[in-house]
Coordinates of all heavy atoms in Angstrom, one line a residue:
M91 N 23.5 -1.5 14.7 CA 23.6 -2.3 13.5 C 22.1 -2.5 12.8 O 21.2 -3.0 13.5 CB 24.3 -3.6 13.7 CG 24.5 -4.2 12.5 SD 25.7 -5.7 12.9 CE 25.4 -6.6 11.4
V92 N 22.0 -2.2 11.7 CA 20.8 -2.5 10.9 C 20.9 -3.7 10.0 O 21.8 -3.8 9.2 CB 20.3 -1.2 10.0 CG1 19.3 -1.4 9.2 CG2 20.3 0.0 10.9
P93 N 19.9 -4.6 10.2 CA 20.0 -5.8 9.3 C 19.5 -5.4 8.0 O 18.8 -4.4 7.7 CB 19.1 -6.7 10.0 CG 18.0 -6.0 10.8 CD 18.8 -4.8 11.2
S94 N 20.0 -6.3 7.0 CA 19.5 -5.9 5.5 C 18.0 -6.3 5.4 O 17.5 -7.1 6.1 CB 20.4 -6.7 4.6 OG 20.3 -8.0 4.7
V95 N 17.2 -5.4 4.7 CA 16.0 -5.7 4.2 C 15.9 -6.8 3.0 O 16.9 -6.9 2.4 CB 15.2 -4.5 4.0 CG1 15.1 -3.6 5.0 CG2 15.8 -3.8 2.7
P96 N 14.8 -7.5 2.9 CA 14.7 -8.4 1.7 C 15.1 -7.7 0.5 O 14.8 -6.6 0.2 CB 13.3 -8.7 1.7 CG 12.8 -8.6 3.1 CD 13.6 -7.5 3.6
D97 N 16.0 -8.4 -0.3 CA 16.4 -8.0 -1.7 C 17.6 -7.0 -1.5 O 18.1 -6.6 -2.7 CB 15.4 -7.4 -2.6 CG 14.3 -8.5 -3.0 OD1 14.7 -9.7 -3.0 OD2 13.1 -8.1 -3.0
A98 N 17.9 -6.4 -0.4 CA 19.1 -5.6 -0.2 C 20.4 -6.4 0.0 O 20.4 -7.4 0.5 CB 18.9 -4.7 1.0
T99 N 21.3 -5.9 -0.7 CA 22.7 -6.5 -0.6 C 23.2 -6.2 0.9 O 23.1 -5.1 1.4 CB 23.6 -5.9 -1.6 OG1 23.1 -6.1 -2.9 CG2 25.1 -6.4 -1.4
T100 N 23.8 -7.3 1.5 CA 24.3 -7.1 2.7 C 25.7 -6.5 2.5 O 26.6 -7.0 1.8 CB 24.5 -8.4 3.5 OG1 23.1 -9.0 3.7 CG2 25.1 -8.3 4.9
V101 N 25.9 -5.3 3.1 CA 27.2 -4.5 2.9 C 27.8 -4.2 4.3 O 27.2 -4.6 5.3 CB 26.8 -3.3 2.1 CG1 26.5 -3.6 0.7 CG2 25.9 -2.4 2.8
D102 N 28.9 -3.6 4.2 CA 29.6 -3.1 5.5 C 28.4 -2.4 6.3 O 27.7 -1.6 5.8 CB 30.6 -2.1 5.2 CG 31.3 -1.5 6.3 OD1 30.9 -0.9 7.2 OD2 32.6 -1.8 6.3
P103 N 28.4 -2.7 7.7 CA 27.4 -2.1 8.5 C 27.2 -0.6 8.5 O 26.1 -0.1 8.7 CB 27.8 -2.6 9.9 CG 28.6 -3.8 9.8 CD 29.2 -3.6 8.4
A104 N 28.4 0.0 8.1 CA 28.2 1.6 8.0 C 27.4 2.0 6.8 O 26.9 3.1 6.8 CB 29.6 2.1 7.9
Y105 N 27.2 1.2 5.9 CA 26.4 1.4 4.6 C 25.1 0.7 4.4 O 24.4 0.9 3.5 CB 27.3 1.2 3.4 CG 28.5 2.1 3.5 CD1 29.7 1.5 3.7 CD2 28.6 3.4 3.3 CE1 30.9 2.1 3.8 CE2 29.8 4.1 3.3 CZ 30.8 3.5 3.6 OH 32.1 4.3 3.7
Q106 N 24.8 -0.2 5.6 CA 23.7 -1.0 5.4 C 22.3 -0.2 5.3 O 21.5 -0.4 4.6 CB 23.5 -2.1 6.6 CG 22.5 -3.1 6.2 CD 22.8 -4.0 5.0 OE1 23.8 -4.6 4.8 NE2 21.8 -3.9 4.0
L107 N 22.3 0.8 6.1 CA 21.0 1.7 6.1 C 20.8 2.4 4.8 O 19.7 2.2 4.2 CB 21.1 2.7 7.2 CG 20.0 3.8 7.3 CD1 18.7 3.0 7.5 CD2 20.2 4.8 8.3
Q108 N 21.9 2.9 4.2 CA 21.7 3.4 2.8 C 21.2 2.4 1.8 O 20.4 2.6 1.1 CB 23.1 4.0 2.5 CG 22.9 4.7 1.0 CD 24.3 5.4 0.8 OE1 25.3 5.1 1.2 NE2 24.3 6.2 -0.3
A109 N 21.8 1.2 1.8 CA 21.5 0.1 0.9 C 20.0 -0.2 1.1 O 19.2 -0.4 0.2 CB 22.3 -1.1 1.1
N110 N 19.5 -0.3 2.4 CA 18.1 -0.6 2.6 C 17.2 0.5 2.1 O 16.2 0.2 1.6 CB 18.0 -0.7 4.1 CG 18.5 -2.0 4.7 OD1 19.1 -2.8 4.1 ND2 18.5 -2.0 6.0
L111 N 17.6 1.7 2.3 CA 16.9 2.9 1.8 C 16.7 2.8 0.3 O 15.6 3.0 -0.3 CB 17.4 4.1 2.3 CG 17.2 4.5 3.8 CD1 18.1 5.7 4.1 CD2 15.7 4.8 4.1
V112 N 17.8 2.5 -0.4 CA 17.8 2.4 -1.9 C 16.9 1.4 -2.4 O 15.9 1.5 -3.2 CB 19.2 2.2 -2.3 CG1 19.2 1.8 -3.9 CG2 20.1 3.5 -2.2
V113 N 16.9 0.2 -1.7 CA 16.1 -0.9 -2.2 C 14.6 -0.7 -1.9 O 13.8 -1.0 -2.7 CB 16.5 -2.3 -1.6 CG1 15.6 -3.4 -1.7 CG2 17.9 -2.8 -2.1
T114 N 14.5 -0.2 -0.7 CA 13.0 0.2 -0.4 C 12.4 1.2 -1.3 O 11.3 1.1 -1.8 CB 12.8 0.6 1.1 OG1 13.4 -0.5 1.9 CG2 11.4 0.8 1.5
A115 N 13.1 2.3 -1.6 CA 12.6 3.3 -2.5 C 12.4 2.7 -3.9 O 11.4 3.0 -4.5 CB 13.7 4.5 -2.5
Y116 N 13.4 1.9 -4.3 CA 13.2 1.4 -5.7 C 11.9 0.4 -5.7 O 11.2 0.4 -6.7 CB 14.3 0.5 -6.0 CG 14.3 -0.4 -7.3 CD1 14.5 0.3 -8.6 CD2 14.0 -1.8 -7.3 CE1 14.3 -0.5 -9.6 CE2 13.8 -2.4 -8.4 CZ 14.0 -1.9 -9.7 OH 13.9 -2.6 -10.7
K117 N 11.8 -0.4 -4.7 CA 10.5 -1.2 -4.8 C 9.1 -0.4 -4.7 O 8.3 -0.8 -5.3 CB 10.6 -2.1 -3.5 CG 11.5 -3.2 -3.5 CD 11.4 -4.0 -2.3 CE 12.2 -5.3 -2.3 NZ 12.0 -6.3 -1.1
I118 N 9.1 0.7 -3.9 CA 8.0 1.6 -4.0 C 7.7 2.1 -5.3 O 6.5 2.2 -5.8 CB 8.1 2.7 -2.8 CG1 8.1 2.1 -1.4 CG2 7.0 3.7 -3.0 CD1 8.4 3.0 -0.3
C119 N 8.8 2.6 -6.0 CA 8.6 3.3 -7.3 C 8.2 2.2 -8.3 O 7.4 2.5 -9.2 CB 9.9 3.9 -7.6 SG 10.2 5.4 -6.6
T120 N 8.8 1.0 -8.2 CA 8.4 -0.1 -9.1 C 6.9 -0.4 -8.9 O 6.1 -0.6 -9.8 CB 9.3 -1.3 -8.9 OG1 10.6 -0.9 -9.1 CG2 8.8 -2.5 -9.7
G121 N 6.5 -0.5 -7.6 CA 5.1 -0.7 -7.2 C 4.2 0.3 -7.7 O 3.1 0.1 -8.3
L122 N 4.7 1.6 -7.8 CA 3.8 2.7 -8.3 C 3.7 2.6 -9.8 O 2.6 3.0 -10.3 CB 4.5 4.1 -7.9 CG 4.3 4.5 -6.4 CD1 5.1 5.7 -6.0 CD2 2.8 4.7 -6.1
N123 N 4.7 2.2 -10.5 CA 4.6 1.9 -11.9 C 3.6 0.9 -12.1 O 2.7 1.1 -13.1 CB 6.0 1.6 -12.4 CG 6.9 2.7 -12.6 OD1 6.5 3.7 -12.8 ND2 8.2 2.3 -12.8
G124 N 3.6 -0.2 -11.4 CA 2.5 -1.2 -11.6 C 1.1 -0.7 -11.4 O 0.2 -1.0 -12.1
Y125 N 1.0 0.2 -10.3 CA -0.3 0.7 -9.9 C -0.7 1.5 -11.1 O -1.9 1.5 -11.5 CB 0.0 1.6 -8.7 CG -1.3 2.2 -8.2 CD1 -1.8 1.5 -6.8 CD2 -1.9 3.3 -8.5 CE1 -2.9 2.0 -6.3 CE2 -3.0 3.7 -8.0 CZ -3.7 3.2 -6.9 OH -4.6 3.8 -6.2
R126 N 0.1 2.3 -11.6 CA -0.3 3.4 -12.7 C -0.6 2.5 -13.9 O -1.7 2.8 -14.6 CB 1.0 4.2 -13.0 CG 0.5 5.1 -14.1 CD 1.8 6.2 -14.2 NE 1.5 7.1 -15.2 CZ 2.4 7.6 -16.1 NH1 3.6 7.2 -16.1 NH2 2.0 8.4 -17.0
T127 N 0.1 1.5 -14.2 CA -0.1 0.7 -15.3 C -1.7 0.0 -15.3 O -2.4 -0.1 -16.2 CB 0.8 -0.4 -15.6 OG1 2.0 0.2 -15.9 CG2 0.5 -1.4 -16.7
K128 N -1.8 -0.5 -14.0 CA -3.2 -1.2 -13.8 C -4.3 -0.2 -13.7 O -5.4 -0.6 -14.2 CB -3.1 -1.9 -12.4 CG -4.2 -2.7 -11.9 CD -4.0 -3.5 -10.7 CE -5.3 -4.2 -10.3 NZ -5.2 -4.9 -9.0
L129 N -4.0 0.9 -13.1 CA -5.3 1.8 -12.9 C -5.3 3.0 -13.7 O -6.2 3.8 -13.5 CB -5.3 2.2 -11.3 CG -5.5 0.9 -10.3 CD1 -5.5 1.3 -9.0 CD2 -6.9 0.3 -10.6
G130 N -4.2 3.3 -14.4 CA -4.2 4.4 -15.4 C -3.7 5.8 -14.8 O -3.5 6.6 -15.5
A131 N -3.3 5.7 -13.5 CA -2.9 7.0 -12.8 C -2.2 6.6 -11.6 O -2.4 5.5 -11.0 CB -3.9 8.0 -12.4
L132 N -1.3 7.4 -11.1 CA -0.7 7.2 -9.8 C -1.7 7.4 -8.7 O -2.7 8.3 -8.8 CB 0.5 8.1 -9.6 CG 1.7 7.9 -10.5 CD1 2.7 9.1 -10.3 CD2 2.3 6.7 -10.2
P133 N -1.5 6.8 -7.6 CA -2.5 7.1 -6.4 C -2.4 8.5 -6.0 O -1.3 9.2 -6.0 CB -2.1 6.2 -5.4 CG -0.7 5.8 -5.7 CD -0.6 5.9 -7.1
E134 N -3.6 9.1 -5.4 CA -3.6 10.5 -4.9 C -2.9 10.4 -3.6 O -2.5 11.5 -3.2 CB -5.0 10.9 -4.8 CG -5.7 11.3 -6.1 CD -4.9 12.4 -6.9 OE1 -4.6 13.4 -6.3 OE2 -4.7 12.2 -8.1
S135 N -2.8 9.3 -2.9 CA -2.1 9.2 -1.6 C -1.6 7.8 -1.3 O -2.0 6.9 -2.0 CB -3.0 9.7 -0.5 OG -4.2 8.8 -0.4
L136 N -0.7 7.7 -0.3 CA -0.3 6.4 0.1 C -0.5 6.3 1.6 O -0.4 7.3 2.3 CB 1.2 6.2 -0.1 CG 1.6 6.1 -1.7 CD1 3.0 5.9 -1.9 CD2 0.8 4.9 -2.4
T137 N -0.9 5.1 2.1 CA -0.9 4.9 3.6 C -0.1 3.7 3.9 O 0.2 2.9 3.0 CB -2.3 4.7 3.9 OG1 -3.0 3.6 3.3 CG2 -3.2 5.9 3.7
V138 N 0.3 3.7 5.1 CA 1.2 2.5 5.6 C 0.4 1.9 6.7 O 0.0 2.6 7.6 CB 2.5 3.0 6.0 CG1 3.4 1.8 6.6 CG2 3.3 3.8 5.0
S139 N 0.2 0.7 6.6 CA -0.6 -0.1 7.6 C 0.3 -0.5 8.8 O 1.5 -0.4 8.7 CB -1.3 -1.4 7.2 OG -0.3 -2.3 6.7
D140 N -0.4 -1.0 9.9 CA 0.4 -1.3 11.0 C 1.5 -2.4 10.7 O 2.5 -2.5 11.4 CB -0.4 -1.8 12.2 CG -1.3 -0.8 12.8 OD1 -0.9 0.5 12.6 OD2 -2.3 -1.1 13.3
D141 N 1.3 -3.3 9.8 CA 2.2 -4.4 9.4 C 3.2 -3.8 8.3 O 4.1 -4.6 7.8 CB 1.6 -5.6 8.9 CG 0.7 -5.3 7.7 OD1 0.8 -4.3 7.0 OD2 0.2 -6.5 7.1
G142 N 3.1 -2.5 7.9 CA 4.1 -1.9 7.0 C 3.8 -1.9 5.6 O 4.5 -1.4 4.6
R143 N 2.7 -2.5 5.2 CA 2.1 -2.6 3.8 C 1.8 -1.2 3.3 O 1.1 -0.4 4.0 CB 1.0 -3.5 3.7 CG 1.5 -5.0 4.1 CD 1.1 -6.0 3.0 NE 1.4 -7.3 3.5 CZ 2.6 -7.9 2.9 NH1 3.2 -7.4 2.0 NH2 3.0 -9.2 3.4
I144 N 2.2 -0.8 2.2 CA 1.9 0.3 1.5 C 0.6 0.3 0.5 O 0.7 -0.6 -0.3 CB 3.1 0.9 0.8 CG1 4.3 1.2 1.8 CG2 2.8 2.4 0.2 CD1 5.6 1.4 1.2
S145 N -0.2 1.1 0.7 CA -1.4 1.1 -0.2 C -1.8 2.4 -0.7 O -1.6 3.5 0.0 CB -2.6 0.6 0.6 OG -2.4 -0.7 1.2
G146 N -2.4 2.4 -1.8 CA -3.1 3.6 -2.4 C -4.7 3.3 -2.5 O -5.1 2.1 -2.1
P147 N -5.5 4.2 -2.7 CA -6.9 3.9 -2.8 C -7.4 2.8 -3.7 O -8.5 2.2 -3.4 CB -7.4 5.3 -3.3 CG -6.4 6.4 -3.0 CD -5.0 5.6 -3.1
G148 N -6.6 2.5 -4.7 CA -7.0 1.5 -5.7 C -6.4 0.1 -5.4 O -6.7 -0.9 -6.0
G149 N -5.4 -0.1 -4.5 CA -4.7 -1.3 -4.2 C -3.5 -1.1 -3.3 O -3.0 -0.2 -2.9
T150 N -3.0 -2.3 -3.1 CA -1.8 -2.5 -2.2 C -0.6 -2.7 -3.0 O -0.7 -3.5 -4.0 CB -2.0 -3.6 -1.1 OG1 -3.1 -3.3 -0.3 CG2 -0.8 -3.8 -0.2
L151 N 0.6 -1.9 -2.7 CA 1.7 -2.2 -3.3 C 2.4 -3.4 -2.8 O 2.2 -3.7 -1.6 CB 2.7 -1.0 -3.3 CG 2.2 0.4 -3.7 CD1 3.1 1.4 -3.5 CD2 1.7 0.4 -5.1
S152 N 3.3 -4.2 -3.5 CA 3.8 -5.4 -2.8 C 5.2 -4.8 -2.3 O 6.3 -5.5 -2.5 CB 4.2 -6.4 -4.0 OG 4.9 -5.9 -5.0
V153 N 5.0 -4.1 -1.2 CA 6.3 -3.5 -0.6 C 5.9 -3.5 1.0 O 4.7 -3.0 1.3 CB 6.6 -2.1 -1.0 CG1 7.8 -1.4 -0.3 CG2 6.7 -1.9 -2.5
V154 N 6.8 -3.9 1.8 CA 6.7 -3.7 3.2 C 7.7 -2.7 3.8 O 8.9 -2.9 3.5 CB 6.7 -5.0 3.9 CG1 6.6 -4.9 5.4 CG2 5.7 -6.1 3.5
L155 N 7.2 -1.6 4.3 CA 8.1 -0.5 4.8 C 8.6 -0.9 6.2 O 7.7 -1.2 7.1 CB 7.4 0.7 4.8 CG 8.1 1.9 5.3 CD1 9.0 2.4 4.0 CD2 7.3 3.1 5.5
P156 N 9.9 -1.1 6.4 CA 10.4 -1.4 7.7 C 9.9 -0.3 8.8 O 9.7 0.8 8.4 CB 12.0 -1.3 7.5 CG 12.1 -1.7 6.1 CD 11.0 -1.0 5.4
A157 N 9.8 -0.9 9.9 CA 9.3 0.0 11.0 C 10.2 1.3 11.2 O 9.5 2.3 11.7 CB 9.1 -0.7 12.3
Y158 N 11.4 1.3 11.0 CA 12.2 2.4 11.3 C 12.2 3.3 10.2 O 12.9 4.4 10.1 CB 13.7 2.0 11.7 CG 14.4 1.1 10.5 CD1 15.1 1.8 9.6 CD2 14.3 -0.3 10.4 CE1 15.7 1.2 8.5 CE2 14.9 -0.9 9.5 CZ 15.7 -0.3 8.5 OH 16.3 -1.0 7.5
M159 N 11.5 3.1 9.1 CA 11.5 4.1 7.9 C 10.1 4.8 7.8 O 9.1 4.3 8.3 CB 11.7 3.4 6.6 CG 13.1 2.7 6.4 SD 13.3 1.9 4.8 CE 14.7 1.1 5.0
R160 N 10.2 5.9 7.2 CA 8.9 6.6 6.9 C 9.0 7.0 5.5 O 10.0 7.2 4.8 CB 8.8 7.9 7.8 CG 9.9 8.8 7.7 CD 9.7 10.0 8.7 NE 10.9 10.7 8.9 CZ 11.6 11.5 8.2 NH1 11.2 11.7 7.0 NH2 12.7 12.2 8.5
I161 N 7.9 7.3 4.8 CA 7.7 7.8 3.5 C 7.0 9.1 3.4 O 6.2 9.4 4.2 CB 7.0 6.7 2.5 CG1 5.6 6.5 2.9 CG2 7.8 5.5 2.5 CD1 4.8 5.7 1.9
S162 N 7.4 9.9 2.4 CA 6.8 11.1 2.0 C 6.4 10.9 0.5 O 7.3 10.4 -0.3 CB 7.5 12.2 2.2 OG 7.1 13.3 1.6
Y163 N 5.1 11.1 0.1 CA 4.8 11.0 -1.2 C 4.0 12.2 -1.7 O 3.1 12.7 -1.2 CB 3.9 9.8 -1.3 CG 3.2 9.4 -2.6 CD1 3.8 9.2 -3.8 CD2 1.8 9.6 -2.8 CE1 3.4 9.0 -5.1 CE2 1.1 9.3 -4.0 CZ 1.9 9.0 -5.1 OH 1.3 8.7 -6.3
V164 N 4.4 12.8 -2.9 CA 3.8 13.9 -3.5 C 3.5 13.5 -5.0 O 4.3 13.4 -5.8 CB 4.6 15.2 -3.6 CG1 4.1 16.4 -4.3 CG2 5.1 15.6 -2.1
P165 N 2.2 13.1 -5.2 CA 1.9 12.7 -6.6 C 1.8 13.6 -7.6 O 2.0 13.3 -8.8 CB 0.6 12.0 -6.3 CG -0.1 12.6 -5.2 CD 1.1 13.1 -4.3
N166 N 1.5 14.9 -7.3 CA 1.3 15.9 -8.3 C 1.9 17.2 -8.0 O 1.1 18.2 -7.4 CB -0.3 16.0 -8.7 CG -0.9 14.9 -9.2 OD1 -0.5 14.3 -10.2 ND2 -1.9 14.3 -8.6
A167 N 3.2 17.3 -8.0 CA 3.8 18.7 -7.7 C 3.5 19.6 -8.6 O 3.1 19.3 -9.9 CB 5.3 18.3 -7.6
P168 N 3.6 20.9 -8.4 CA 3.1 21.9 -9.4 C 3.9 21.9 -10.7 O 3.5 22.3 -11.6 CB 3.6 23.3 -8.5 CG 3.5 22.8 -7.0 CD 3.9 21.5 -7.0
D169 N 5.2 21.3 -10.6 CA 6.0 21.2 -11.9 C 5.6 20.0 -12.7 O 6.3 19.7 -13.7 CB 7.4 21.3 -11.6 CG 8.0 20.2 -10.7 OD1 7.1 19.3 -10.3 OD2 9.1 20.1 -10.5
G170 N 4.6 19.2 -12.3 CA 4.1 18.1 -13.0 C 4.8 16.8 -12.5 O 4.6 15.8 -13.3
T171 N 5.7 16.9 -11.7 CA 6.5 15.6 -11.3 C 5.8 14.9 -10.0 O 4.9 15.6 -9.4 CB 7.9 15.9 -10.9 OG1 7.9 16.8 -10.0 CG2 8.7 16.4 -12.1
A172 N 6.3 13.7 -9.9 CA 5.8 13.0 -8.6 C 7.0 12.7 -7.8 O 8.1 12.5 -8.4 CB 5.1 11.7 -8.9
Y173 N 6.9 12.7 -6.5 CA 8.2 12.5 -5.7 C 7.8 11.3 -4.6 O 6.7 11.4 -4.0 CB 8.5 13.5 -4.9 CG 8.9 14.9 -5.8 CD1 8.0 15.8 -6.1 CD2 10.3 15.0 -6.1 CE1 8.4 16.8 -6.9 CE2 10.6 16.1 -6.9 CZ 9.7 17.0 -7.3 OH 10.1 18.1 -8.2
V174 N 8.8 10.5 -4.4 CA 8.7 9.5 -3.2 C 10.0 9.7 -2.5 O 11.1 9.6 -3.1 CB 8.5 8.1 -3.6 CG1 8.6 7.2 -2.7 CG2 7.4 8.0 -4.5
T175 N 9.9 9.9 -1.1 CA 11.1 9.9 -0.3 C 10.9 8.8 0.9 O 9.9 8.8 1.4 CB 11.3 11.2 0.3 OG1 11.5 12.2 -0.7 CG2 12.6 11.4 1.1
V176 N 11.9 8.1 0.9 CA 12.0 7.1 2.0 C 13.2 7.5 3.0 O 14.3 7.8 2.5 CB 12.3 5.6 1.5 CG1 12.3 4.6 2.6 CG2 11.3 5.2 0.3
A177 N 12.7 7.6 4.2 CA 13.8 8.1 5.2 C 13.9 7.2 6.4 O 12.9 6.7 6.8 CB 13.5 9.5 5.4
D178 N 15.0 7.2 7.1 CA 15.3 6.6 8.3 C 14.6 7.5 9.4 O 15.1 8.7 9.4 CB 16.9 6.4 8.6 CG 17.0 5.8 9.9 OD1 16.3 5.0 10.5 OD2 17.9 6.4 10.6
S179 N 13.7 7.1 10.3 CA 13.2 8.0 11.3 C 14.0 8.6 12.2 O 14.0 9.7 12.6 CB 12.1 7.2 11.9 OG 11.1 6.8 11.0
E180 N 15.2 7.9 12.5 CA 16.2 8.2 13.6 C 17.1 9.3 12.9 O 17.4 10.4 13.5 CB 16.7 7.1 14.2 CG 17.7 7.5 15.4 CD 18.2 6.3 16.0 OE1 17.5 5.3 16.3 OE2 19.4 6.4 16.5
S181 N 17.8 8.9 11.9 CA 19.0 9.7 11.5 C 18.5 10.7 10.4 O 19.2 11.7 10.3 CB 20.0 8.7 10.9 OG 19.5 8.2 9.6
G182 N 17.4 10.5 9.7 CA 16.9 11.4 8.8 C 17.6 11.1 7.4 O 17.3 11.6 6.4
M183 N 18.5 10.1 7.3 CA 19.1 9.6 5.9 C 17.9 9.3 5.1 O 16.9 8.6 5.5 CB 20.1 8.5 6.1 CG 20.7 8.0 4.8 SD 21.7 6.6 5.0 CE 23.0 7.3 5.9
A184 N 17.9 9.8 3.8 CA 16.9 9.5 2.9 C 17.3 9.1 1.5 O 18.5 9.5 1.1 CB 15.9 10.7 2.8
M185 N 16.3 8.6 0.7 CA 16.6 8.2 -0.6 C 15.3 8.8 -1.3 O 14.1 8.3 -0.9 CB 16.9 6.8 -0.9 CG 16.9 6.4 -2.4 SD 18.3 7.0 -3.1 CE 18.1 6.6 -4.6
S186 N 15.2 9.4 -2.5 CA 14.2 9.9 -3.2 C 14.2 9.4 -4.5 O 15.2 9.1 -5.2 CB 14.2 11.4 -3.1 OG 14.1 12.0 -1.9
C187 N 13.1 9.3 -5.1 CA 12.7 9.1 -6.6 C 11.9 10.1 -7.0 O 11.0 10.6 -6.4 CB 12.1 7.7 -6.7 SG 13.0 6.2 -6.2
V188 N 12.1 10.5 -8.3 CA 11.2 11.6 -9.0 C 10.7 11.0 -10.3 O 11.5 10.2 -11.0 CB 12.2 12.8 -9.4 CG1 11.5 13.8 -10.1 CG2 12.9 13.4 -8.0
K189 N 9.6 11.2 -10.6 CA 8.9 10.8 -11.9 C 8.6 12.1 -12.6 O 7.6 12.8 -12.1 CB 7.7 9.8 -11.6 CG 7.2 9.4 -13.0 CD 6.3 8.3 -12.7 CE 5.8 7.6 -14.0 NZ 6.0 8.2 -15.2
S190 N 8.9 12.3 -13.8 CA 8.5 13.3 -14.5 C 8.0 13.0 -15.9 O 8.6 12.3 -16.7 CB 9.7 14.4 -14.8 OG 9.4 15.4 -15.7
G191 N 6.7 13.4 -16.2 CA 6.0 13.0 -17.4 C 6.0 11.5 -17.6 O 5.6 10.8 -16.8
E192 N 6.3 11.0 -18.8 CA 6.3 9.6 -19.1 C 7.5 8.9 -18.8 O 7.7 7.7 -19.0 CB 5.9 9.4 -20.5 CG 4.4 9.8 -21.0 CD 3.4 9.1 -20.2 OE1 3.4 7.8 -20.0 OE2 2.6 9.9 -19.6
Q193 N 8.5 9.6 -18.2 CA 9.9 9.0 -17.9 C 9.6 8.2 -16.6 O 8.7 8.4 -15.9 CB 10.8 10.1 -17.6 CG 11.2 11.0 -18.8 CD 12.3 12.0 -18.2 OE1 12.7 12.1 -17.1 NE2 12.6 12.9 -19.2
G194 N 10.4 7.1 -16.5 CA 10.4 6.4 -15.3 C 10.8 7.0 -14.1 O 11.3 8.2 -14.2
W195 N 10.9 6.4 -13.0 CA 11.3 7.0 -11.8 C 12.9 7.0 -11.8 O 13.5 6.2 -12.2 CB 10.8 6.1 -10.6 CG 9.4 6.2 -10.3 CD1 8.5 5.3 -11.0 CD2 8.7 7.0 -9.6 NE1 7.2 5.6 -10.5 CE2 7.3 6.6 -9.7 CE3 9.1 8.2 -8.9 CZ2 6.4 7.3 -8.9 CZ3 8.1 8.8 -8.1 CH2 6.7 8.6 -8.2
I196 N 13.4 8.2 -11.3 CA 14.7 8.4 -11.3 C 15.2 8.6 -9.8 O 14.7 9.5 -9.2 CB 15.1 9.7 -12.2 CG1 14.6 9.5 -13.6 CG2 16.6 10.0 -12.1 CD1 14.6 10.8 -14.4
A197 N 16.3 8.0 -9.4 CA 16.8 8.1 -8.2 C 17.4 9.5 -8.0 O 18.0 10.0 -8.9 CB 17.9 7.1 -7.9
N198 N 17.1 10.1 -6.8 CA 17.5 11.6 -6.5 C 17.9 11.7 -5.2 O 17.0 12.1 -4.4 CB 16.4 12.5 -7.0 CG 16.8 13.8 -6.8 OD1 18.0 14.2 -6.9 ND2 15.8 14.8 -6.6
N199 N 19.0 11.2 -4.6 CA 19.3 11.2 -3.3 C 20.1 12.3 -2.8 O 20.6 13.2 -3.5 CB 20.1 9.9 -2.9 CG 21.2 9.7 -3.5 OD1 21.6 10.3 -4.5 ND2 22.0 8.7 -3.1

């Protein structure tokens, strides 16, 4: 059983992991929007510290990644988009966000 993460709705245990991934991906994408607004561009890379805090070269996002999750980040794909994927390390269940041009992040699971 996976407990809900902060700001995630507590749902049927069979769907809690999915709810947690959705909220975590949303928070990361919202943090990246703030990063871009503050620094003028998306970070070239993201790192996760031992306590789960996610950072780019210019600052820390206000997101804590649960220990059982991992992220993949592609800031500049060949087609001009950016991708963030948050996945459960054990099951591989994932939630992705895509950013294209000036559009906001769009969920793409």
Side-chain angles (χ1 to χ4, degrees):
M91 184 169 162
V92 176
S94 65
V95 296
D97 300 323
T99 303
T100 301
V101 296
D102 182 297
Y105 301 103
Q106 191 63 59
L107 177 59
Q108 181 180 11
N110 292 353
L111 290 167
V112 168
V113 166
T114 303
Y116 174 79
K117 285 181 171 183
I118 292 170
C119 292
T120 299
L122 287 169
N123 280 340
Y125 187 104
R126 183 175 180 216
T127 298
K128 182 178 177 184
L129 299 174
L132 293 172
E134 289 297 317
S135 63
L136 294 176
T137 58
V138 180
S139 64
D140 290 341
D141 67 357
R143 299 226 178 261
I144 301 171
S145 300
T150 301
L151 308 180
S152 59
V153 181
V154 176
L155 189 71
Y158 61 88
M159 291 184 193
R160 56 183 164 68
I161 61 171
S162 172
Y163 174 62
V164 178
N166 297 304
D169 63 0
T171 57
Y173 298 91
V174 173
T175 301
V176 180
D178 173 50
S179 297
E180 186 175 322
S181 71
M183 182 184 289
M185 177 64 185
S186 297
C187 298
V188 179
K189 183 170 189 342
S190 179
E192 294 303 313
Q193 296 177 5
W195 291 91
I196 302 166
N198 181 31
N199 57 355

